[in-house]
Amino acid sequence: MADKQVHSINPATGDVIETFAPLTGAGIESALAKAEDRFRSWRRVPLDERAALMNGAAEVLEAKLELYARDITLEMGKPITQAEAEVKKCAAACRHYAAHAGAYMRDETVQTEAHRAFVRHLPIGPVLAVMPWNFPFWQVFRFAAPALMAGNVGLLKHASNVWRSALNIEDVFRSAGFPEGCFQTLLIGASDVEGVIRDARVKAVTLTGSGPAGRSVAAIAGDSLKPSLLELGGSDAFIVMPSADLDKAVKTAVTARIQNSGQSCIAGKRFFVHADIHDAFTERYVTAFGALKVGDPMKKDTDVGPLATLKIRDELADQVDRSLKGGATRLTRERIVPGKGAWYAPAILAEAHSGTPSADEEMFGPVANLWKVPSLDDAIARANRSVFGLGSVLFSNEESEIDQAVRELEAGATFINSMVASDPRLPFGGIKESGYGRELAADGLRAFMNRKTVSIA
Ligand code: NAP
């Protein structure tokens, strides 16, 4: 059982912000008992009452937006404007599920020889969510809003560097008036996750995070015969063809790569640009990267803050070094970043060879990898060489190219002429080593529901 103190460290300065004591075994037991007990009554609460509480959660998020956003930025370093946008997006997700959960889980009538036959969606019980630090609020709300509207109850094991945010999320549901036990934050480390998954009171697990964590959680869930959903890493392709609006493509390629200081699973990470426009695109892209404001994430005009931890920064620096040694070229100039803290200056690498991190691995920071390609066929072939399959982007105004990209890009999503973004109205998830299952929209709500077949003779 973990008993070591856990620190939140401001990645911009390296200072310890807050120290937490992880839950003891007795604390975990009490939370699981409370979750099971609450589920029995929560599943019977009428949908309109659940919806009113969920709308109340949206109001709490908006009322305490500044506080929550500040804590997000202090703990993991994203620019404050993006932290505020994240909290607002959570409020929108709560309202979306408050409004649409009823339709998403409506009975589905089926004509058979029976008097009546239909499929009914029923909750299954306490669900464990193992979540990452990169969108400390959004990743949790996109699980919690549909789960609670479905009649399940939520248990959160958040990443160990964002426990203030984890407690703030529990505060949202408590302040909105959700009955105690509907949503609980468990301050536990990764080593305690196995015991929680195996506990008979926990009925399913969802994890957003890295491949190694996903494999471990899926193996334990499989061994316990419990459903799991995995949202893992990505190395999304971003393809630009000659018919594209070049200004828009460059602008979008910058945001797609550097938003959240480059630490987004659905960031464009590998850019394949057609030879006819490659030089014009590259010149503008390099200029735009050079103009990015890197600095204090608390300032409203900052584009790129520090990475979330020193370990993440060091891993990225190592990936870049290995890619350069392996034959890639750095297109951006070196620039000075603050010495203390987890800083890494945005960079663009070109023509990395396969077998190097730029081509083969996920780079979780503000580093874009660029290749010149002779055709869409070539771009798609290279895009699909990745072990990941989360999102993908094509910039083109040719219908035949759009059709081909939609059919052939191996990814959970293809966005045309815009960057990949999650949206409560659209299913979200990956294929290949990016995971399985879908969050958001109706899929996200039904992910952990019993689709019960009912036949009345
Ligand atoms: P991570 O190390 O896998 O951590 C994610 C969560 O899993 C944390 O709560 C972590 O707890 C826990 N964890 C780690 N190892 C575990 C294990 N063996 N068993 C059980 N739990 C374990 O991932 P990260 O570095 O924080 O997040 C970045 C990764 O998440 C990237 O690969 C990114 O692409 C991916 N991601 C995917 C999506 C998506 O929707 N597909 C969205 C966001 C991020 P501790 O912090 O206590 O170790």
Side-chain angles (χ1 to χ4, degrees):
M1 195 60 55
D3 56 2
K4 282 208 317 248
Q5 303 274 293
V6 171
H7 306 291
S8 275
I9 294 170
N10 181 343
T13 61
D15 297 336
V16 173
I17 314 162
E18 201 173 350
T19 298
F20 303 89
L23 270 188
T24 59
I28 297 172
E29 168 55 34
S30 145
L32 294 179
K34 202 184 284 179
E36 185 188 43
D37 187 49
R38 176 54 61 201
F39 172 61
R40 285 194 209 104
S41 56
W42 179 243
R43 64 179 304 166
R44 292 186 170 160
V45 171
L47 197 60
D48 58 343
E49 283 177 38
R50 284 185 221 156
L53 288 165
M54 197 53 76
N55 282 324
E59 279 163 31
V60 174
L61 283 161
E62 284 163 355
K64 297 193 183 174
L65 180 129
E66 277 182 26
L67 169 75
Y68 296 150
R70 181 181 157 276
D71 285 344
I72 289 173
T73 295
L74 280 175
E75 279 192 321
M76 56 68 68
K78 78 172 62 190
I80 189 75
T81 50
Q82 297 179 30
E84 288 168 358
E86 180 176 337
V87 177
K88 280 186 200 157
K89 187 168 174 174
C90 294
C94 289
R95 292 205 170 93
H96 176 84
Y97 278 104
H100 298 286
Y104 288 163
M105 54 186 169
R106 193 166 286 149
D107 287 353
E108 291 168 11
T109 301
V110 181
Q111 297 301 331
T112 68
E113 292 73 35
H115 169 61
R116 241 179 104 208
F118 57 93
V119 176
R120 175 155 299 174
H121 299 92
L122 296 167
I124 57 172
V127 181
L128 173 67
V130 182
M131 291 288 147
W133 46 266
N134 64 337
F135 290 91
F137 264 54
W138 172 245
Q139 307 292 5
V140 177
F141 276 88
R142 80 178 183 190
F143 150 74
L148 295 183
M149 285 307 298
N152 292 320
V153 300
L155 294 162
L156 169 65
K157 179 270 175 276
H158 218 325
S160 297
N161 55 329
V162 291
W163 279 9
R164 173 47 53 198
S165 289
L167 292 171
N168 283 346
I169 295 168
E170 197 178 52
D171 175 62
V172 171
F173 291 109
R174 192 186 310 112
S175 303
F178 277 80
E180 205 190 340
C182 274
F183 182 92
Q184 297 180 81
T185 286
L186 308 178
L187 294 184
I188 58 173
S191 59
D192 285 325
V193 167
E194 174 163 5
V196 177
I197 297 173
R198 290 194 187 278
D199 191 287
R201 292 165 288 193
V202 172
K203 301 301 182 213
V205 57
T206 177
L207 175 135
T208 301
S210 62
R215 281 178 213 278
S216 167
V217 161
I220 297 162
D223 189 47
S224 316
L225 294 179
K226 292 181 186 178
S228 61
L229 188 154
L230 299 181
E231 297 284 4
L232 307 178
S235 188
D236 287 8
F238 189 116
I239 301 170
V240 189
M241 295 300 288
S243 65
D245 173 338
L246 201 58
D247 282 340
K248 190 176 171 205
V250 171
K251 219 169 153 230
T252 310
V254 173
T255 311
R257 181 59 283 216
I258 61 97
Q259 74 152 353
N260 216 35
S261 305
Q263 304 159 114
S264 169
C265 52
I266 45 169
K269 293 181 182 126
R270 296 176 300 139
F271 296 81
F272 301 105
V273 184
H274 191 276
D276 290 356
I277 46 155
H278 172 270
D279 292 356
F281 178 94
T282 305
E283 192 191 329
R284 291 186 211 189
Y285 200 40
V286 171
T287 304
F289 259 56
L292 290 169
K293 279 201 172 170
V294 182
D296 182 355
M298 283 297 176
K299 288 197 173 150
K300 294 265 183 197
D301 63 348
T302 292
D303 297 311
V304 182
L307 298 182
T309 64
L310 284 175
K311 183 166 170 272
I312 290 158
R313 194 271 312 273
D314 293 346
E315 276 170 14
L316 181 68
D318 177 60
Q319 286 178 310
V320 170
D321 287 348
R322 286 189 285 130
S323 299
L324 291 171
K325 282 195 188 111
T329 310
R330 186 199 295 268
L331 301 183
T332 37
R333 275 184 297 162
E334 301 268 0
R335 57 196 278 185
I336 311 258
V337 289
K340 220 174 146 218
W343 297 92
Y344 196 86
I348 303 173
L349 307 188
E351 305 304 332
H353 296 175
S354 59
T356 64
S358 288
D360 292 356
E361 298 173 15
E362 176 179 36
M363 280 191 168
F364 222 54
V367 178
N369 295 293
L370 198 67
W371 288 268
K372 186 197 281 193
V373 291
S375 64
L376 183 59
D377 281 342
D378 189 69
I380 292 175
R382 284 162 176 257
N384 290 346
R385 243 172 249 164
S386 172
V387 295
F388 298 109
L390 194 53
S392 55
V393 167
L394 171 71
F395 265 77
S396 165
N397 285 305
E398 290 283 347
E399 270 312 315
S400 62
E401 290 176 352
I402 294 170
D403 280 352
Q404 186 183 351
V406 169
R407 272 185 284 107
E408 296 182 4
L409 280 169
E410 294 169 0
T414 295
F415 278 54
I416 308 294
N417 296 328
S418 71
M419 60 187 260
V420 181
S422 59
D423 178 326
R425 297 165 296 185
L426 294 170
F428 182 95
I431 60 170
K432 296 163 77 175
E433 291 187 22
S434 291
Y436 52 77
R438 291 291 178 268
E439 294 194 287
L440 298 176
D443 300 55
L445 187 105
R446 293 177 186 172
F448 297 119
M449 296 197 82
N450 173 13
R451 277 170 60 77
K452 179 181 272 187
T453 298
V454 182
S455 182
I456 303 172

